């Protein structure tokens, strides 16, 4: 069968004519531009790309992408995106959502799309606040955080998107800072290539209602010491001088310094994102200092589509009927089993 080469696109091909209406300085601009630059590297036809969003600042995303898309219902983007993907498996389907949209009103849809492992991608803009509705606490807001709806401090423990995702059997989970476009671009490309549901949590700064919430991790002066960027098959090394790393100390991860107490690079853990057992992935997700970024988990598993296709083929193979008329004219009555 002849195949037609996909046109080589540029950033401009994926940039719509809509005025971008986010607050100046918002990390959403970084995410948008990074996606527009990454899509040409994915080798997918423009007409085969779809962005689905719910409600929130992040959910304006489809307007700014010159692709197919839908600004849908609060929290329901995963359900709608699932329908789009199952109806046309050839599409590259992306969900743009926020920490409130995904994990509050959309919590059930969020965990079940991960559990089912449909072949689509989720970008979770996490700014630990409700931005569009003007600064109420969200499911990821910290205890003690003062917001418009918690003026004396939030009393509700926050969700960890990574822990929630792995608890829902997510096969692909990545985390990246909102001011790291280079790393973000590669993660978007890797997520597209992954067969199954991919979830990318972006630590996204809200300059109006939660400014600086990730500064202690993402500022240029501290990021090399406060983040460990994980790459499959490579030692877990970090630090400005690349002299720190992670080892397993009993049932906990421990930070060590290469050269101290006889520690060498060979003593460090090597990242295995493709391991089926998520025990170490969970430990990395929960690690606070340094914060694990990059692709933490990327385990290849059967997708929902593959399981459904296999079941359909099995039922067809065992059925005495080859077409509907065979069933209708098989007798006066028929039994549904």
């Amino acid at each position: 069968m002849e195949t037609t080469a996909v046109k080589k696109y540029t950033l401009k091909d994926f940039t719509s004519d809509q005025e971008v209406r986010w607050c100046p300085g918002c990390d959403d601009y970084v995410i948008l531009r990074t996606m527009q630059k990454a899509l040409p590297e994915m080798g997918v036809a423009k007409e085969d790309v779809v962005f689905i969003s719910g409600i929130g600042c992040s959910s304006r995303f489809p307007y700014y992408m010159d692709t197919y898309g839908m600004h849908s219902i609060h929290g329901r983007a995963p359900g709608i995106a699932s329908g789009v993907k199952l109806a046309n498996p050839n599409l590259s389907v992306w969900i743009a959502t926020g920490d409130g949209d995904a994990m509050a009103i959309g919590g059930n849809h969020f965990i079940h799309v991960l559990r089912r492992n449909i072949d689509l991608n989720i970008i979770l803009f996490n700014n630990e606040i409700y931005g569009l509705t003007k600064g109420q606490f969200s499911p990821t807001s910290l205890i003690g955080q003062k917001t418009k709806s918690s003026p004396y401090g939030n009393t509700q423990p926050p969700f960890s998107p990574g822990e929630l995702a792995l608890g829902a059997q997510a096969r692909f989970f990545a985390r990246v800072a909102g001011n790291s476009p280079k790393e973000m671009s590669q993660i978007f490309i890797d997520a597209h290539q992954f067969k199954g549901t991919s979830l990318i949590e972006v630590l996204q700064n809200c300059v109006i209602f939660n400014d600086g919430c990730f500064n202690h991790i993402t500022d240029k002066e501290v990021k090399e010491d406060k983040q460990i960027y994980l790459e499959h098959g490579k030692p877990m090394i970090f630090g400005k001088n690349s002299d720190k790393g992670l080892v397993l100390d009993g049932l906990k991860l421990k930070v060590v310094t290469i050269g101290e107490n006889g520690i060498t690079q060979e003593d460090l853990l090597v990242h295995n994102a493709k391991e089926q057992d998520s025990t170490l992935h969970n430990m990395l997700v929960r690690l606070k200092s340094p914060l694990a970024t990059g692709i933490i988990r990327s385990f290849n598993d059967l997708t929902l589509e593959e399981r459904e296709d296999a079941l359909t083929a099995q039922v067809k193979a065992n059925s005495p009927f080859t077409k509907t008329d065979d069933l209708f004219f098989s007798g006066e009555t028929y039994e549904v089993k």
Side-chain angles (χ1 to χ4, degrees):
M1 184 177 70
E2 292 185 5
T3 57
T4 303
V6 175
K7 170 188 171 183
K8 182 61 177 177
Y9 298 104
T10 67
L11 176 150
K12 290 184 178 180
D13 290 310
F14 290 100
T15 304
S16 78
D17 60 0
Q18 298 299 299
E19 179 186 357
V20 182
R21 301 185 65 182
W22 286 316
C23 302
C26 178
D27 280 346
D28 287 8
Y29 287 95
V30 180
I31 303 170
L32 174 65
R33 189 167 181 85
T34 301
M35 175 56 75
Q36 290 167 338
K37 293 174 70 174
L39 274 169
E41 305 301 318
M42 296 179 190
V44 59
K46 180 178 173 179
E47 61 270 20
D48 291 336
V49 180
V50 182
F51 282 87
I52 308 293
S53 66
I55 298 297
C57 292
S58 63
S59 296
R60 293 172 174 168
F61 210 84
Y63 292 108
Y64 308 143
M65 298 297 303
D66 193 13
T67 64
Y68 288 108
M70 184 186 297
H71 190 170
S72 69
I73 310 168
H74 201 182
R76 272 63 177 179
I80 293 171
S82 296
V84 170
K85 182 65 180 183
L86 294 176
N88 188 344
N90 294 323
L91 297 178
S92 177
V93 179
W94 295 81
I95 296 171
T97 186
D99 47 301
D101 184 57
M103 288 181 287
I105 193 170
N108 232 14
H109 295 272
F110 178 71
I111 60 174
H112 289 297
V113 73
L114 294 170
R115 173 179 68 88
R116 293 176 180 128
N117 199 34
I118 299 172
D119 188 18
L120 51 76
N121 313 285
I122 306 170
I123 308 173
L124 174 64
F125 298 52
N126 181 14
N127 53 24
E128 299 183 346
I129 201 77
Y130 276 102
L132 185 68
T133 50
K134 307 300 183 285
Q136 300 85 357
F137 67 84
S138 84
T140 57
S141 296
L142 305 179
I143 290 181
Q145 186 171 331
K146 294 183 179 180
T147 73
K148 295 290 182 66
S149 55
S150 59
Y152 300 105
N154 176 36
T155 58
Q156 301 183 22
F159 268 138
S160 161
E163 287 188 74
L164 187 64
L166 295 188
Q169 303 177 51
R171 281 72 163 182
F172 183 110
F173 174 71
R175 183 193 282 148
V176 66
N179 63 349
S180 301
K182 181 180 178 181
E183 292 85 355
M184 192 187 302
S185 178
Q186 188 56 53
I187 288 174
F188 286 165
I189 293 169
D190 290 341
H192 167 75
Q193 293 172 344
F194 180 79
K195 197 169 185 181
T197 305
S198 70
L199 171 64
I200 306 113
E201 178 192 6
V202 182
L203 308 179
Q204 177 252 325
N205 188 46
C206 175
V207 293
I208 303 300
F209 297 108
N210 202 18
D211 192 23
C213 59
F214 297 116
N215 281 358
H216 62 291
I217 299 167
T218 61
D219 269 5
K220 290 182 179 180
E221 293 77 14
V222 302
K223 65 182 295 184
E224 290 176 312
D225 287 325
K226 296 298 183 179
Q227 293 183 46
I228 179 167
Y229 190 79
L230 300 170
E231 296 180 81
H232 176 71
K234 294 186 178 181
M236 298 185 189
I237 295 177
F238 69 103
K240 288 183 179 179
N241 300 316
S242 298
D243 61 346
K244 298 185 185 303
L246 297 179
V247 298
L248 197 58
D249 182 18
L251 298 178
K252 294 182 178 181
L253 292 173
K254 179 181 178 181
V255 175
V256 295
T257 302
I258 298 173
E260 291 185 2
N261 302 317
I263 296 292
T264 67
Q265 183 172 314
E266 284 68 35
D267 295 312
L268 304 181
L269 289 169
V270 174
H271 184 46
N272 185 359
K274 301 181 184 299
E275 170 59 50
Q276 179 175 1
D277 188 328
S278 63
T279 301
L280 189 55
H281 300 154
N282 270 294
M283 296 171 72
L284 289 165
V285 162
R286 289 194 296 267
L287 190 66
K288 300 298 183 186
S289 184
L291 187 78
T293 56
I295 298 175
I296 296 173
R297 179 168 172 80
S298 179
F299 167 64
N300 292 311
D301 195 8
L302 289 175
T303 64
L304 175 67
E305 299 94 310
E306 290 171 329
R307 293 192 299 273
E308 289 287 345
D309 287 346
L311 179 60
T312 300
Q314 179 184 349
V315 171
K316 283 184 175 180
N318 295 330
S319 174
F321 308 117
T322 58
K323 56 184 183 295
T324 307
D325 281 355
D326 293 342
L327 175 64
F328 286 160
F329 297 106
S330 61
E332 294 184 2
T333 62
Y334 60 89
E335 182 179 355
V336 177
K337 294 183 179 180

